Amino acid sequence: MKKCLIAPSILSADCARLGEDISKALDAGGDLVHFDVMDNHYVPNLTMGPMVVKALRNYGITAPIDVHLMVEPVDHIIPYFAEAGANYITFHPEASKHIDRTLQLIKTSGCYSGLALNPATPLNILDYVMHKLDIIVVMSVNPGFSSQLFIPNALHKIHQVRQLINQSGYDICLAVDGGITINNFSEIAAAGTDMFVVGSAIFNQIDYKKAIDGMRYIISNSIPESYCKNHTLIISS
């Protein structure tokens, strides 16, 4: 079994001791840091900016940082996150007037590029940009807040995106973000997920390692080996 990725989502971490809490989750077996950026415009919430990414790097976080931009417009802020230390940058197609151009801007900035698909975002948005994608994030909640319940119809969408990736022949990582718990982890894994963005199911637990080890056990018993790949985009800072 090749390794799938668990990305602790710091939206659920202790903001008063963010560096310490993230280090604890990574030491417990997390693979990369998922960093949610909200602007109180595209989504009804306000979170963190590039300075926090830079602060985490200065603190000593060397794991890859996956920046999920829930902002509109999106292009202006991309270079700032790249300069601050992001490795992946994903955005929502609804937040860009020219999706292809935004993806190219991410790559030009030195990061891996991705799209985050809301529950109601149609998959034909991918038709002409698959060759520029390193990651596709299927949102299994509506973006904006942590600790939401998983939307069951997202499972069908995960299966569909898995099939599109396999048919494309490109090395694209399939991530799922939102409402992932130990109770639904198995079916999300079996749908063909490569990366699991997990917030409260890690940070709300007393023992982070026990939580992540439990997820790894489920992965090992749920995912066909062909689904779980060591993607070339996984790098360190």
Side-chain angles (χ1 to χ4, degrees), residues 5-237:
L5 305 170
I6 294 177
S9 174
I10 66 173
L11 191 60
S12 298
D14 185 345
C15 290
R17 50 190 188 93
L18 197 55
E20 179 184 345
D21 214 15
I22 292 170
S23 294
K24 181 180 173 183
L26 293 170
D27 290 343
D31 296 293
L32 67 158
V33 178
H34 185 81
F35 191 98
D36 287 309
V37 182
M38 305 179 191
D39 65 353
N40 198 32
H41 178 69
Y42 180 72
V43 293
N45 200 356
L46 186 65
T47 58
M48 300 166 280
M51 289 187 295
V52 180
V53 173
K54 183 64 174 176
L56 291 176
R57 290 301 190 203
N58 290 340
Y59 179 84
I61 299 297
T62 60
I65 294 180
D66 170 26
V67 171
H68 175 195
L69 295 178
M70 289 167 271
V71 304
E72 183 182 6
V74 67
D75 288 10
H76 176 73
I77 202 168
I78 286 170
Y80 293 105
F81 276 101
E83 184 178 355
N87 300 109
Y88 325 147
I89 297 179
T90 61
F91 66 97
H92 291 259
E94 297 88 350
S96 172
K97 291 184 178 180
H98 303 284
I99 297 170
D100 182 90
R101 180 180 294 164
T102 303
L103 290 170
Q104 187 58 47
L105 174 60
I106 294 171
K107 289 184 174 293
T108 302
S109 299
C111 296
Y112 293 102
S113 60
L115 284 178
L117 307 179
N118 288 331
T121 302
L123 295 185
N124 62 9
I125 204 80
L126 302 172
D127 285 350
Y128 300 101
V129 296
M130 291 287 280
H131 63 293
K132 288 191 174 180
L133 293 175
D134 299 297
I135 181 170
I136 298 172
V137 181
V138 175
M139 297 298 299
S140 42
V141 298
N142 289 297
F145 297 94
S146 63
S147 301
Q148 296 185 68
L149 295 179
F150 184 88
I151 297 174
N153 286 342
L155 282 174
H156 179 59
K157 196 167 196 174
I158 298 166
H159 280 287
Q160 288 180 302
V161 175
R162 176 79 269 163
Q163 185 176 19
L164 288 173
I165 291 173
N166 291 348
Q167 291 172 348
S168 76
Y170 294 113
D171 183 24
I172 301 172
C173 179
L174 171 54
V176 177
D177 182 0
I180 298 177
T181 70
I182 203 70
N183 295 322
N184 59 24
F185 207 90
S186 179
E187 56 187 350
I188 297 170
T193 303
D194 296 312
M195 181 191 296
F196 303 80
V197 178
V198 186
S200 57
I202 294 175
F203 289 107
N204 286 3
Q205 309 306 308
I206 295 174
D207 189 335
Y208 293 0
K209 187 176 189 307
K210 182 178 180 180
I212 293 174
D213 285 349
M215 295 170 193
R216 298 277 184 214
Y217 178 81
I218 294 172
I219 289 172
S220 68
N221 287 280
S222 303
I223 296 186
E225 184 173 351
S226 60
Y227 283 173
C228 212
K229 300 188 288 185
N230 289 322
H231 294 278
T232 55
L233 75 161
I234 302 307
I235 59 174
S236 58
S237 174

